[in-house]
Amino acid sequence: MNLWRALLSPIIGGIPIGIAFIDAVGYIARVDGTSMQPLFNPDSTTDYVFLNRWSVKHDSIRRGDVISLISPKNPEHKIIKRVIGVQGDVLKTSSKKTPVVTVPKGYCWVEGDHVGHSMDSNHFGPVSLGLVTAKATAIVWPPHRWQKVKTEMRYERLPMNLLPLK
């Protein structure tokens, strides 16, 4: 009996610590699909990323961040996209119905890096910040792809209100 207690105590004691770590700090997740190519899954390689929960709880979401969020179309799915606009930004969209949108307070605009191959805000509109679960901070697998995920924006996707006047 003492042998079982000695073996099980660290495991049982470690479970709450592991759950607390995942909930507060972050976790590793597999990225499926092509919507974020070439950043994730180039050449059909499956990438695993560290999703940092701490950064979205204690840091603001900025343009260029790559975030994980609950899909506005299907709450059972999580998606990963780049933040293109934040509250107050005026953006060009790919929609003919609404070619320009202003991001409302408490929302952000997200898009996949692989233009035309992404179900993103161009399809479902601005996303509530309450749906954001984590920020992708590093590719952790496979080893030859280890790298930090940079916060960056393509010039042509900058909000219209930030572009210099011509």
Side-chain angles (χ1 to χ4, degrees):
M1 188 67 167
N2 286 340
L3 176 62
W4 282 108
R5 182 174 286 153
L7 290 174
L8 291 178
S9 286
I11 294 170
I12 292 171
I15 290 173
I17 293 169
I19 291 170
F21 182 86
I22 289 169
D23 189 48
V25 178
Y27 59 99
I28 294 172
R30 185 174 79 195
V31 178
D32 292 319
T34 61
S35 71
M36 287 300 293
Q37 284 181 338
L39 177 62
F40 299 132
N41 303 335
D43 306 320
S44 301
T45 301
T46 299
D47 286 333
Y48 289 80
V49 298
F50 182 72
L51 295 175
N52 187 330
R53 288 176 164 276
W54 185 267
S55 66
V56 296
K57 289 179 183 176
H58 302 282
D59 198 10
S60 62
I61 302 297
R62 294 186 284 273
R63 283 177 221 92
D65 285 347
V66 177
I67 59 171
S68 170
L69 60 140
I70 298 167
S71 170
K73 288 289 188 187
N74 183 349
E76 294 181 14
H77 291 124
K78 285 191 180 167
I79 58 177
I80 191 162
K81 305 292 176 196
R82 187 174 303 277
V83 176
I84 301 300
V86 294
Q87 160 182 323
D89 285 346
V90 179
L91 301 162
K92 289 182 188 175
T93 73
S94 64
S95 169
K96 290 180 176 32
K97 197 166 140 181
T98 52
V100 176
V101 67
T102 300
V103 181
K105 183 177 182 178
Y107 286 76
C108 64
W109 187 270
V110 297
E111 294 181 0
D113 285 357
H114 195 178
V115 179
H117 294 87
S118 176
M119 178 65 74
D120 54 30
S121 286
N122 287 296
H123 295 31
F124 46 71
V127 175
S128 170
L129 293 176
L131 296 177
V132 176
T133 59
K135 179 180 170 184
T137 55
I139 298 172
V140 297
W141 194 262
H144 71 277
R145 301 246 322 118
W146 286 352
Q147 61 186 294
K148 287 180 73 175
V149 175
K150 295 180 183 127
T151 296
E152 58 189 7
M153 291 276 297
R154 294 188 327 263
Y155 180 80
E156 64 271 10
R157 291 310 300 139
L158 285 174
M160 295 166 58
N161 55 311
L162 296 182
L163 294 174
L165 295 173
K166 292 183 180 182

